[in-house]
Amino acid sequence: MARWYYQSIFDELEDMRRYMEALTREMSGSGPGTALLPAAGENRAQLLPAPRAGLRVDVTESDKDIIVTADMIPGIVKKDITLSLLDPQSLEISAERKEEKKEEKEGYFLHERHFGSMARVVPLPKAVTEEGSTASFKNGVLEVHLKKSTKEQKGKISIE
């Protein structure tokens, strides 16, 4: 003989809702116990043990250049990288990797695919121009030298 703990399905659902609310309060630190999730406004990136996905970028400035150095993800080759100057103060670095490997030997067949893409828009401290700018890629490190723009970026906006 089966024993029923709840008189209706709604009683069981109400107990489950109360249990989930208690777990949420405990995780966010508004209830008893140690907070498992950061409070509002705290840096949530610290929750992840692995480094965040994307490109690690350093931006430095010299007299005539803005230098952007990016550590690329392993497996990326020079032909996979695209650099675009979106505006005088924004550089987009994007990379797309497509690799397919087929191997057939006696007794087995192997077919591997590696696909992925990433992009990052890097804000620049000064206006730059693509004229005279250079980029190099060596040992997984991308280095872009962007020439500072000598033109003043001024303009008028008319009000209608």
Side-chain angles (χ1 to χ4, degrees), residues 55-136:
L55 303 170
R56 293 181 300 231
V57 176
D58 293 329
V59 179
T60 57
E61 184 177 358
S62 69
D63 293 338
K64 296 182 182 180
D65 293 342
I66 301 289
I67 302 159
V68 178
T69 307
D71 294 337
M72 302 303 288
I73 292 178
I76 297 291
V77 294
K78 184 168 77 171
K79 67 178 178 66
D80 296 336
I81 302 170
T82 305
L83 299 172
S84 302
L85 198 56
L86 301 178
D87 61 55
Q89 286 190 271
S90 299
L91 173 70
E92 180 183 42
I93 302 171
S94 59
E96 186 171 7
R97 179 180 176 200
K98 293 180 181 178
E99 182 181 332
E100 206 166 324
K101 177 182 171 184
K102 291 183 180 181
E103 189 175 315
E104 289 185 52
K105 290 191 178 178
E106 189 177 319
Y108 74 92
F109 177 77
L110 175 68
H111 189 160
E112 292 182 5
R113 294 178 200 91
H114 300 281
F115 298 97
S117 64
M118 63 183 153
R120 175 149 182 205
V121 176
V122 180
L124 303 171
K126 304 274 182 175
V128 297
T129 181
E130 68 271 357
E131 295 173 11
S133 297
T134 60
S136 63

Side-chain angles (χ1 to χ4, degrees), residues 12-28 30:
E12 184 177 1
L13 290 172
E14 183 62 26
D15 278 356
M16 289 168 53
R17 184 189 62 79
R18 276 192 235 116
Y19 176 70
M20 293 302 293
E21 283 178 355
L23 284 175
T24 304
R25 278 193 305 272
E26 187 175 329
M27 289 188 325
S28 64
S30 62

